[in-house]
Amino acid sequence: MESFSNNQLLQEIKSCEELLTDRIADNMETFGVSSTVGRLLGIIYMNREAMTLDSLAEETGMSKTRMSQVMRQMISFNIAEKEYVKGSRKDHYNVERDYAQTFISLFTSNWSEVVKRNTSLERRLREQIRHLETFLTEDSSEEVKVRMERLQQELDEWNAYYNWINNLVAFFESGEIFNHVPIVTPTKKEEAKNEE
Amino acid sequence: MESFSNNQLLQEIKSCEELLTDRIADNMETFGVSSTVGRLLGIIYMNREAMTLDSLAEETGMSKTRMSQVMRQMISFNIAEKEYVKGSRKDHYNVERDYAQTFISLFTSNWSEVVKRNTSLERRLREQIRHLETFLTEDSSEEVKVRMERLQQELDEWNAYYNWINNLVAFFESGEIFNHVPIVTPTKKEEAKNEE
DNA sequence: AAATCTGTGCAATTTAAACTTTACAAAGTA
DNA sequence: TACTTTGTAAAGTTTAAATTGCACAGATTT
C-alpha cells in the first residue's frame, strides 16, 4: 500500500484548502465584487491570523498596490479591518470569520447604497411632478394627463419597493433574520443527533 | 407666468420616466448583472406592454443582437418572458412588474447557483479528506494532524453557511419573507391614514 | 421556388475593469 | 540629516466583459 510523506500530506491538505478558498471567492463574486476580494478573504481566513500587504502579495503573486486597493474595498464593505500588531509597522489585516456575518455586511452595504441613491431621487422627482402639475389645464391633452397620473403611480410603487428593501436591510442587519432562518452549526447537529 | 405646451409637458414627463428607468437599472446592477439588463427592464416596465427586439434596439440605440442576448439572460433569471401576440411574427417580451418579485427571482437564481456549486465541491472534499486520513500514522507530524483537523472544521463551518444560504433562498422564494418584512403599498398607507 | 423577415451563433471590435509600474509623501530609523 | 520602509495616488497596460456586424438557418409570405 502506498504511503504519503509528511510533506506530501501537507501538500494535499494545502490543495484542499485552496479549493475551499476558491469556493469562498466564488461566493463573494455573487455579490458583484471582484474575484480578488473573495480570494483575499479566503486566504486571510484560512491563514487564521492577520496578514500584511506583503504577505498577501506573495501569496497571490499580485502587486502590493492591488492588495492595498482590495483591502481598502473590503474595509469599506465591513468585512475586514486593520489590526494593530506591536513591534511591526506594517498594517495587518484581518477578516470577519463568520460567514453569515460577511454575507450580511455585503448585503447591507450594497443595498443601503441603493436605498440612499433612491431617496435623493425620489425627493427630486416628487418636486418636479408637483411643478409640472401646476401647468396642467383643461386644455392639456388626454395623453399628458394619463402619463402624469401613471408616473405618479410608478413612483409610488417604486417607493414601496425600496422601503421594503430598506426594511429588509434592517431585518438582516439586526440579526432578526436568524430568528426565522437559523444557522445550524455542525456542533448543534451533533447535539441534536445525540439527543435521539 | 410661463406656460408649457403639451409637447413640452410630454417631454418633461418622459425625462422623469427616464430618471426612474435609470434608478431601476441601478438597482439591477447591484445584483451584479450588466447595466443593460436593468435598462431593458426599466424600458419595458415603463412601456407597460411587451416590446420587440426591434423596438428595444430603437429605444436604446443598441444592436438587435445585443437585445436578443440580454433578453435571453433576463428570461434565464425569470424576470422576463416571451408573450404571444397574434398577427405579429416578432417575439414580444414582457417583464415581471412586481419589483419585489424581481428582487426575489434574481436573489434566488444567483444564490441557488452558488449552493449548487458548493454541494458538488463538498462531496469531493469530504472524500479527499477521508482518503488522506487513512495515511495518518503516529509518525505524522503535529502540523499535519492539526491542519487536517482544522480543514475538517472549516469544511463544517462552510457547510453550515451554505445550508443557511439554501434556507434563506427558500425563505424568500416561498414568500415567507413577506410575513416578516411586509411590503407597504401606497394604497395601504392611504387606508391606514383614512382609518385614523 | 424565390424573396423576405426574424432571431441568434460566431468572430471581431470596442469599452470598462482589473491590475501593474512608477513615483512620492509620511513616518520611522540610523 | 540622510536613508529605509510602507502605503497609496496617478497613469499606463493588460485582461475580461460588453457590444457590434456579419452571416445564416428556419419560418413566412408572395
Side-chain angles (χ1 to χ4, degrees):
Chain A
M1 181 178 167
E2 59 171 338
S3 165
F4 277 162
S5 75
N6 255 311
N7 276 345
Q8 281 173 315
L9 274 175
L10 268 180
Q11 201 52 47
E12 291 289 330
I13 291 172
K14 195 155 192 186
S15 90
C16 286
E17 286 174 355
E18 267 166 28
L19 281 176
L20 198 45
T21 300
D22 288 349
R23 209 54 22 212
I24 295 175
D26 171 63
N27 180 67
M28 277 313 102
E29 271 188 89
T30 307
F31 282 108
V33 299
S34 154
S35 68
T36 310
V37 172
R39 194 118 163 271
L40 293 200
L41 179 72
I43 288 172
I44 300 177
Y45 183 88
M46 296 304 272
N47 187 64
R48 285 167 172 263
E49 59 186 31
M51 291 176 78
T52 65
L53 294 180
D54 286 313
S55 57
L56 285 170
E58 195 186 4
E59 188 77 23
T60 58
M62 285 181 178
S63 72
K64 193 164 70 152
T65 299
R66 183 62 184 144
M67 299 302 98
S68 169
Q69 294 167 338
V70 170
M71 288 316 304
R72 185 144 33 131
Q73 204 185 345
M74 288 174 74
I75 287 173
S76 84
F77 286 142
N78 281 315
I79 59 173
E81 54 185 11
K82 289 192 189 182
E83 203 168 77
Y84 177 70
V85 172
K86 78 170 178 180
S88 168
R89 51 180 168 123
K90 299 191 184 197
D91 289 349
H92 288 244
Y93 296 91
N94 219 335
V95 295
E96 172 61 58
R97 294 196 66 78
D98 182 330
Y99 291 127
Q101 191 49 56
T102 301
F103 179 98
I104 290 176
S105 291
L106 281 166
F107 186 90
T108 59
S109 22
N110 281 340
W111 291 105
S112 302
E113 227 8 82
V114 174
V115 170
K116 204 164 92 191
R117 288 197 291 269
N118 275 332
T119 310
S120 73
L121 175 90
E122 162 141 46
R123 215 187 351 260
R124 257 194 317 134
L125 226 42
R126 294 271 186 215
E127 231 164 74
Q128 172 72 345
I129 288 179
R130 204 143 27 78
H131 180 233
L132 289 180
E133 269 175 342
T134 64
F135 296 113
L136 272 186
T137 64
E138 57 277 9
D139 298 343
S140 302
S141 78
E142 198 53 36
E143 189 185 359
V144 166
K145 288 177 190 162
V146 170
R147 295 276 291 266
M148 200 75 152
E149 182 61 29
R150 280 185 183 172
L151 182 57
Q152 196 103 28
Q153 277 169 17
E154 298 298 2
L155 207 50
D156 286 343
E157 296 249 3
W158 185 246
N159 179 258
Y161 168 66
Y162 78 74
N163 276 336
W164 180 67
I165 292 280
N166 200 27
N167 293 338
L168 202 53
V169 167
F171 187 66
F172 275 87
E173 205 167 22
S174 67
E176 202 187 330
I177 178 70
F178 295 121
N179 297 338
H180 306 96
V181 185
I183 294 187
V184 183
T185 68
T187 326
K188 282 184 188 164
K189 272 188 193 162
E190 282 295 325
E191 282 165 11
K193 220 176 179 179
N194 293 341
E195 278 168 20
E196 283 176 21
Chain B
M1 182 177 164
E2 60 171 336
S3 165
F4 277 162
S5 75
N6 255 311
N7 276 345
Q8 281 173 315
L9 273 176
L10 268 179
Q11 201 52 47
E12 291 290 330
I13 290 172
K14 193 154 192 187
S15 89
C16 285
E17 286 174 355
E18 267 166 28
L19 281 175
L20 198 46
T21 300
D22 289 348
R23 208 59 17 217
I24 294 175
D26 171 62
N27 179 66
M28 275 314 102
E29 271 188 89
T30 308
F31 282 108
V33 299
S34 156
S35 67
T36 310
V37 172
R39 193 118 163 272
L40 294 199
L41 180 73
I43 288 171
I44 300 177
Y45 184 89
M46 295 305 273
N47 187 64
R48 285 167 170 263
E49 57 185 32
M51 292 175 77
T52 66
L53 293 181
D54 286 315
S55 56
L56 284 171
E58 195 186 4
E59 188 78 21
T60 58
M62 283 181 178
S63 71
K64 194 163 69 150
T65 299
R66 183 61 183 145
M67 298 303 97
S68 168
Q69 295 166 338
V70 170
M71 288 316 303
R72 186 146 30 133
Q73 203 183 346
M74 288 173 73
I75 287 174
S76 83
F77 286 143
N78 282 316
I79 59 174
E81 53 185 12
K82 289 191 189 181
E83 204 168 76
Y84 176 70
V85 172
K86 78 170 179 184
S88 167
R89 49 178 168 129
K90 298 191 185 197
D91 289 350
H92 288 244
Y93 296 91
N94 219 335
V95 295
E96 171 61 58
R97 294 196 66 76
D98 182 330
Y99 292 126
Q101 190 49 55
T102 300
F103 179 97
I104 289 176
S105 291
L106 281 168
F107 186 90
T108 58
S109 23
N110 281 340
W111 290 105
S112 303
E113 227 9 82
V114 173
V115 170
K116 205 164 89 190
R117 287 197 292 269
N118 275 329
T119 310
S120 73
L121 175 88
E122 161 141 48
R123 217 189 345 265
R124 256 192 318 134
L125 226 41
R126 292 273 185 214
E127 230 163 74
Q128 172 72 347
I129 288 179
R130 204 141 30 76
H131 181 233
L132 289 181
E133 269 176 340
T134 64
F135 295 114
L136 272 184
T137 65
E138 57 277 11
D139 298 344
S140 302
S141 78
E142 198 53 35
E143 188 184 359
V144 166
K145 288 177 188 162
V146 170
R147 296 275 293 266
M148 201 75 152
E149 182 62 30
R150 280 183 182 172
L151 182 57
Q152 195 103 28
Q153 278 169 16
E154 298 298 1
L155 207 51
D156 286 344
E157 297 248 3
W158 185 245
N159 179 258
Y161 168 66
Y162 79 72
N163 276 337
W164 181 67
I165 293 280
N166 201 25
N167 293 338
L168 202 54
V169 168
F171 188 66
F172 275 86
E173 204 167 23
S174 68
E176 202 187 331
I177 178 70
F178 295 120
N179 297 338
H180 306 97
V181 184
I183 295 187
V184 183
T185 68
T187 326
K188 283 185 187 162
K189 271 188 196 163
E190 282 295 324
E191 283 164 10
K193 219 176 181 179
N194 293 340
E195 277 168 21
E196 282 175 24

